[in-house]
Amino acid sequence: MRILAAMSGGVDSAVAAARAVEAGHDVVGVHLALSRAGGTLRTGSRGCCTIEDALDARRAADMLGIPFYVWDFSERFRDDVIQDFISEYQAGRTPNPCMRCNEKIKFAALLERAIELGFDAVCTGHYATLIDGDGGLELHRASDNAKDQSYVLGVLTAEQLAHTYFPLGTTPSKAIVRAEAEARGLSVAQKPDSHDICFIPDGDTRGWLAEKVGTATGEIVDRSGDVVGSHEGAHAFTVGQRRGLKLGVPAADGKPRFVLEVRPISNTVVVGPKEALAIAEIAGARFSWAGAAPTASSFDCHVQIRAHAEPVAAHAEVSDVGVRVVPEVPLDGVAPGQTAVLYVGTRVLGQFTIDTTVSAVPVGA
């Protein structure tokens, strides 16, 4: 096949490209410039898409003897990922920018251009596997559960899966990938993995949002509506947050309180006891299937609400208005805006963006 290898400058994408070459494919490497003012250097494991990353990707491509290009996707990234992130927080939701980047950039904008240029597939260093099933190509978890990235790939459609290539999915461990990179002479063999949000490399999400959308004083209230504190912008809070609340009124039982809800219209943050974070039901209208859609409108599955969360057994119902999921045991600290990925065994069935949640602990209980 003609393969376009997306090379981030990290060890995973470099080894994925190397394996594609070794498998006999016609491979071209490409690095995505996602910022017009990218930093020169990374700070340890923070950030990505720096000039250093682009140079690391180029060096890897040179070692592999493949053509290499840098494509400017900064405008698409700004519009589809960064602006979406800001808008979601302003709406009182907790977005996942990695999901949006996979959906809108790596497997939409990049894949579209790759197909236009005659490539058969885009190769990435994601840890996930593709299996030919009875209903067509299926997305499954990686062999190494600790590195599995199928959750952040749950937004891919059947058409996109047909043009993707994940060479690392069956690798038993990340240590094997690093050892392979070392043996191939790739300089990124021991390069740290990137963490946190790539466009907020210092990790200060609250400060970054305040700079982008400004501050506005509002109230922090308990579940009964009593004012217990104030804040300088509801957008800076996420469901499940405990630190940084600076509450002026202690809880009656003396226990710590957590953010239960963010109300952007009134610029209000609702706090309460940890047990009130338990969620008995989630639902969302924006959903997609990773391969063949389920044949039944009601089915048992497992639901995962974060990239490294444990999947929870659940029952799902699909209708014209969206997807509703009832877990067998309450989910912890779910926020609107998060992505719920549905699994049947190791297979990714599909995903939806959580719009509404139902607490397992009614007010006053």
Side-chain angles (χ1 to χ4, degrees):
M1 293 190 297
R2 290 198 69 211
I3 298 288
L4 185 67
M7 304 181 71
S8 66
V11 63
D12 292 327
S13 60
V15 171
R19 291 186 180 182
V21 171
E22 191 172 63
H25 299 298
D26 178 10
V27 182
V28 173
V30 63
H31 178 79
L32 303 185
L34 302 180
S35 172
R36 287 286 176 88
T40 302
L41 300 173
R42 301 166 100 232
T43 304
S45 62
R46 291 186 180 276
C48 70
C49 315
T50 63
I51 295 173
E52 178 188 349
D53 292 313
L55 292 174
D56 284 341
R58 179 177 291 280
R59 280 190 286 267
D62 289 344
M63 285 292 297
L64 299 176
I66 61 175
F68 177 81
Y69 301 91
V70 175
W71 287 356
D72 182 359
F73 274 32
S74 58
E75 288 189 15
R76 285 289 297 265
F77 187 76
R78 180 197 64 204
D79 295 342
D80 293 339
V81 180
I82 297 178
Q83 284 302 131
D84 175 79
F85 183 83
I86 294 171
S87 297
E88 286 290 275
Y89 263 101
Q90 287 178 310
R93 298 156 67 88
T94 302
N96 185 323
C98 293
M99 303 290 284
R100 295 291 79 76
C101 186
N102 283 333
E103 177 186 17
K104 301 292 188 178
I105 306 299
K106 294 175 184 174
F107 297 97
L110 177 62
L111 183 55
E112 288 167 8
R113 183 177 294 185
I115 292 174
E116 288 174 358
L117 293 174
F119 290 93
D120 299 301
V122 165
C123 166
T124 73
H126 286 101
Y127 288 79
T129 56
L130 294 172
I131 296 175
D132 280 319
D134 295 337
L137 208 58
E138 298 175 352
L139 176 64
H140 285 255
R141 291 190 184 277
S143 297
D144 180 5
N145 195 55
K147 292 297 296 180
D148 174 57
Q149 292 176 296
S150 60
Y151 172 86
V152 295
L153 297 169
V155 290
L156 302 190
T157 64
E159 177 64 22
Q160 291 168 332
L161 291 176
H163 296 283
T164 56
Y165 184 46
F166 300 132
L168 305 188
T170 57
T171 307
S173 73
K174 178 63 174 274
I176 292 175
V177 172
R178 290 196 181 279
E180 183 178 330
E182 197 81 56
R184 293 179 181 276
L186 297 172
S187 62
V188 293
Q190 299 306 320
K191 185 175 181 178
D193 293 336
S194 60
H195 297 291
D196 299 316
I197 301 170
C198 69
F199 52 87
I200 311 179
D202 64 0
D204 182 13
T205 303
R206 176 181 289 194
W208 187 88
L209 283 168
E211 192 176 287
K212 298 297 181 183
V213 303
T215 59
T217 302
E219 296 178 340
I220 300 177
V221 302
D222 62 19
R223 299 184 88 193
S224 300
D226 295 330
V227 178
V228 295
S230 64
H231 62 78
E232 294 183 352
H235 59 264
F237 296 84
T238 59
V239 171
Q241 180 178 330
R242 174 187 173 185
R243 299 186 183 279
L245 301 184
K246 299 179 182 179
L247 302 180
V249 180
D253 58 8
K255 294 181 179 180
R257 285 178 288 200
F258 299 75
V259 174
L260 304 180
E261 186 182 352
V262 178
R263 299 171 179 170
I265 295 177
S266 60
N267 195 29
T268 303
V269 176
V270 182
V271 297
K274 182 176 176 60
E275 49 268 26
L277 288 170
I279 297 299
E281 181 182 319
I282 57 177
R286 294 175 291 173
F287 63 93
S288 64
W289 304 117
T295 56
S297 60
S298 179
F299 53 87
D300 293 328
C301 60
H302 279 75
V303 61
Q304 187 171 327
I305 58 169
R306 297 182 186 87
H308 301 293
E310 285 295 319
V312 175
H315 185 77
E317 295 178 356
V318 183
S319 67
D320 293 339
V321 297
V323 181
R324 172 178 171 269
V325 172
V326 178
E328 288 187 2
V329 296
L331 302 171
D332 183 41
V334 186
Q338 285 180 233
T339 301
V341 176
L342 306 182
Y343 290 82
V344 175
T346 61
R347 182 194 169 192
V348 176
L349 190 61
Q351 62 81 37
F352 66 93
T353 301
I354 299 170
D355 292 326
T356 59
T357 63
V358 177
S359 176
V361 181
V363 177

